[in-house]
């Protein structure tokens, strides 16, 4: 049977390895496995959310409220935008895909940094769009603008801060760039790790309401998967001009987010203490990874997220190291699928990090 | 900003109205609202599933196992197929969309009954495929084959039994039809209500394993949203030849189903008593709606599902009736979005049905 030719060259997203798989493969007790591979919240989920979900069991049989009234209400207050400015997706990656489907086809051009979130490229390839990347791995606005002038762009992706590298552009630089971009181009400002970046440095803060008012061709993306501790629930959001949202909603399928995810996200927004505790611990613990890297003379990128990159150059091999770590029950993210000899470490709890650094200390010799 | 032209004429799926909306709009206490509009399980969710989910709260922060190992294992045993024959979606409607994206573009032709599940048409329109429908509302295999000979088809949709009408083709007739269809055509056999149909009449039973062995160009779809009581969790599955599944997995996004949905579905498969109780009650209670229709001289379709259609001809107006019902806190499904002057009633619990029939008795005069 023949399928769309586009699929012949489709890359497959390489996800962080699940704990169960490693437990089966290496015969390790699940409880002894540390997974710091998918930038999940090491503190798990807020107790307030857990309590709320436990009392919502009689909602599982019902289709979700497809208007997503309650959650849009809460997000509109948090971000000072109208409900009509908001779209909810099964993770922000679903909104990325919806943007690409709404805006692009085989004749389109999509522009992004050389090393950035893999789903931008995967979504663009699915519709056969031309993908243009900068020479630099990290976001380089000059290079992006040069490429924009040369090739044009139907969509530009900016990941602020950038996954999987961790660097983050300043808001002022981003705004200066956006001023030069045609209003016909959709600019996706992916703020999935913004809670972390804006805590570390106020110059990184992108205010969604201000962004879409000044640049009505932008969509801001946020997530409940990271600081809000709901990675397994699959829920994220987009904030944009209502004309963009109306169009995206034509692509969005009904009931794209589960009933419990809507309830959990809405409750998670009420527990800012949990988010603050998460982020404070994150940057305290990150210092330990920075110190370790300095001690071992390993290159790392100053990170505005909940993860850190170790680049190995010709010192170590990230694939071999990751395999060795797996055998010891530690799951980190080998970045060879991003064509980098590097690993990405999600910042864990104090106890997890102690163990990981101890094992890394033995292996990186 | 310009978007894909295809979206200009995109229909929007009209979902069953959520309880909260009706409560707000008409000032009715939520507890007094009866929603029999979305073919949800009136008994809610199995207690075994609820217990399991309550003990899985520490899984919410983790991204799902994207290999979906446990659930595929259970499904492979239930259906006597390999894990490589299974794809899991956020509802079977996501798998419908994936099939269309994998197989179709603007040059494709998609064939279906005149009145069938709305998402077939919506998915096909999104990729710009040509949609061919039979003259008859219900599935008519002769008409489908005539159209197939005339126009060809990249995908044929068979909804067995059919939502929103409720009728169901016999397996033998389906097989005789499939024998005449080219192996280049993907035939989607949507069995979302098969648990109901095969209980009522064994001649309706489509065995997924037998189907895909005899017809490797078919994909069988199933759901946890109906008999399994998990409509809000968004989870369904497709069973097909592994070459088809491999290709569909290229279109499927990673983490398309939530962690809790995977756990709930796996647990739901273990509680067949709950499913049996659901289906037995369903057909006992449906007799009451049939009797009522006969008494009132209302046309209905013999249903193999958990809902029944009342066709009003020129006797009543389904829109006006639905509005009157809403004011009394009863949500049924007006089928005017399917261009029918009819309502679809999900079979509720004994108590719900008593109330609905009482109110209908007053309004249908």
């Amino acid at each position: 049977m023949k399928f769309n030719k586009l699929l012949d060259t489709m890359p497959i997203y390489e996800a962080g390895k699940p704990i169960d798989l490693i437990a089966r493969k290496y015969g390790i007790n699940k409880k002894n496995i540390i997974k710091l591979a998918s930038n999940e919240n090491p503190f798990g989920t807020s107790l307030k959310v857990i309590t709320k979900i436990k009392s919502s069991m009689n909602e599982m049989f019902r289709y979700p409220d497809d208007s997503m009234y309650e959650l849009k209400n809460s997000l509109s207050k948090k971000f000072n935008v109208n409900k009509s400015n908001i779209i909810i997706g099964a993770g922000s990656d679903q909104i990325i895909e919806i943007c690409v489907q709404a805006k692009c086809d085989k004749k389109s051009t999509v522009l992004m940094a050389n090393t950035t979130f893999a789903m931008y490229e995967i979504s663009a390839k699915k519709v056969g769009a031309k993908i243009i990347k900068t020479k630099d791995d990290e976001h380089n606005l000059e290079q992006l603008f040069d490429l924009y002038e040369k090739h044009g762009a139907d969509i530009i992706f900016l990941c602020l801060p950038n996954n999987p590298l961790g660097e983050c552009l300043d808001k002022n630089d981003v705004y200066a760039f956006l001023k030069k971009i045609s209003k016909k181009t959709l600019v996706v400002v992916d703020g999935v790790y913004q809670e972390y970046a804006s805590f570390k440095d106020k110059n990184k803060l992108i205010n969604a309401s201000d962004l879409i008012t000044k640049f009505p061709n932008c969509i801001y993306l946020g997530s409940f998967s990271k600081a809000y501790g709901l990675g397994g629930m699959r829920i994220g959001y987009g904030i944009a001009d209502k004309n963009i949202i109306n169009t995206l909603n034509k692509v969005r399928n009904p009931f794209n987010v589960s009933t419990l995810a809507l309830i959990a996200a809405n409750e998670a927004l009420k527990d800012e203490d949990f988010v603050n505790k998460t982020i404070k611990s994150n940057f305290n613990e990150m210092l330990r990874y920075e110190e370790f890297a300095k001690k071992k003379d390993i290159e790392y990128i100053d990170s505005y997220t909940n993860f850190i990159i170790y680049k190995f150059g010709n010192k170590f091999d990230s694939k071999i190291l990751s395999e060795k770590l797996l055998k010891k029950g530690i799951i980190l993210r080998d970045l060879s699928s991003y064509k980098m000899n590097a690993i990405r470490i999600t910042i864990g709890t104090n106890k997890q990090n102690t163990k990981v650094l101890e094992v890394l200390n033995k292996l990186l010799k």
Side-chain angles (χ1 to χ4, degrees), chain A:
Chain A
M1 185 180 296
K2 278 187 189 161
F3 289 97
N4 274 334
K5 274 184 192 162
L6 289 171
L7 297 176
D8 296 345
T9 56
M10 265 302 292
I12 304 257
Y13 178 82
E14 197 170 315
K17 290 188 170 52
I19 288 177
D20 283 338
L21 174 74
I22 301 308
R24 283 193 303 273
K25 189 169 172 186
Y26 296 103
I28 304 171
N29 187 326
K30 273 176 69 170
K31 285 178 187 162
N32 296 328
I33 292 177
I34 295 177
K35 183 191 171 204
L36 294 174
S38 300
N39 306 338
E40 293 149 337
N41 190 323
F43 296 109
T45 303
S46 145
L47 272 178
K48 282 188 183 169
V49 174
I50 288 175
T51 305
K52 180 73 181 178
I53 293 299
K54 277 189 173 172
S55 71
S56 305
M57 289 295 106
N58 57 351
E59 300 291 334
M60 283 198 285
F61 81 103
R62 270 206 198 292
Y63 278 86
D65 166 15
D66 198 50
S67 76
M68 314 194 194
Y69 182 87
E70 297 285 351
L71 180 58
K72 283 188 187 169
N73 226 4
S74 300
L75 285 169
S76 79
K77 283 173 194 159
K78 178 179 167 70
F79 286 103
N80 191 28
V81 295
N82 290 320
K83 289 212 291 285
S84 57
N85 296 123
I86 300 170
I87 183 170
I88 313 280
S92 61
D93 40 351
Q94 189 175 58
I95 302 175
I96 292 165
E97 186 173 46
I98 289 173
C99 287
V100 172
Q101 284 185 12
K103 186 77 182 155
C104 299
D105 59 21
K106 286 172 192 172
K107 293 173 193 153
S108 306
T109 301
V110 170
L111 185 55
M112 66 188 77
N114 191 43
T115 301
T116 188
F117 187 42
M119 292 308 295
Y120 306 153
E121 182 168 358
I122 291 176
S123 298
K125 280 208 169 170
K126 268 193 213 173
V127 300
K130 192 173 166 187
I131 294 153
I132 311 276
K133 292 177 170 186
T134 58
K135 206 170 171 184
D136 282 8
D137 279 330
E138 303 177 32
H139 283 66
N140 178 324
L141 289 173
E142 270 182 42
Q143 287 180 14
L144 279 167
F145 188 69
D146 285 349
L147 293 169
Y148 167 76
E149 284 205 303
K150 193 173 171 192
H151 302 277
D154 294 282
I155 297 186
I156 301 173
F157 284 103
L158 299 176
C159 199
L160 309 172
N162 187 23
N163 175 21
L165 297 184
E167 96 279 6
C168 192
L169 297 169
D170 278 6
K171 184 199 89 168
N172 288 341
D173 297 334
V174 173
Y175 274 31
F177 173 80
L178 291 174
K179 276 183 191 154
K180 299 185 287 179
I181 302 299
S182 157
K183 293 290 170 279
K184 290 178 184 169
T185 298
L186 178 65
V187 183
V188 177
V189 175
D190 186 339
V192 159
Y193 297 90
Q194 265 283 318
E195 290 88 354
Y196 297 93
S198 57
F199 174 91
K200 184 169 174 174
D201 180 352
K202 290 290 168 240
N203 293 319
K204 310 297 183 191
L205 175 69
I206 304 275
N207 176 301
S209 170
D210 185 61
L211 175 78
I212 68 166
T213 307
K214 289 203 173 73
F215 307 104
N217 59 322
C218 283
I219 181 165
Y220 177 89
L221 302 186
S223 175
F224 290 96
S225 299
K226 311 299 172 186
Y228 287 92
L230 294 173
M233 300 302 274
R234 310 309 299 125
I235 185 156
Y237 52 89
I239 297 173
D241 184 86
K242 72 175 179 186
N243 292 315
I244 295 177
I245 297 295
N246 283 345
T247 305
L248 299 184
N249 269 325
K250 288 185 175 183
V251 181
R252 181 186 69 84
N253 275 344
F255 313 125
N256 59 319
V257 173
S258 78
T259 305
L260 293 190
L262 289 167
I263 295 169
N266 197 42
E267 198 67 16
L269 286 175
K270 296 176 191 165
D271 195 357
E272 287 296 332
D273 285 351
F274 176 80
V275 175
N276 292 335
K277 176 189 133 192
T278 293
I279 295 174
K280 274 182 196 161
S281 162
N282 178 72
F283 287 111
N284 282 335
E285 291 293 317
M286 194 177 296
L287 292 173
R288 301 172 67 192
Y289 284 99
E290 292 174 357
E291 279 164 27
F292 177 85
K294 283 173 195 159
K295 203 179 76 185
K296 292 277 183 186
D297 201 21
I298 295 168
E299 191 186 344
Y300 68 90
I301 296 176
D302 187 25
S303 171
Y304 292 83
T305 65
N306 65 346
F307 58 80
I308 190 165
I309 293 284
Y310 283 176
K311 290 175 165 182
F312 293 135
N314 52 13
K315 284 181 191 162
F316 308 100
D317 183 305
S318 67
K319 261 193 180 171
I320 294 169
L321 175 69
S322 299
E323 199 60 33
K324 282 182 185 167
L325 285 161
L326 287 178
K327 283 176 191 157
K328 294 192 179 291
I330 293 174
I331 315 176
L332 304 181
R333 184 68 163 276
D334 170 29
L335 291 184
S336 54
S337 69
Y338 283 90
K339 289 171 194 158
M340 290 178 75
N341 181 23
I343 54 165
R344 190 187 67 188
I345 309 166
T346 304
I347 310 302
T349 60
N350 184 276
K351 199 178 155 191
Q352 289 174 324
N353 299 329
T354 298
K355 174 76 180 166
V356 169
L357 287 167
E358 188 187 302
V359 174
L360 281 176
N361 190 41
K362 284 180 193 158
L363 293 176
L364 294 176
K365 277 187 177 167

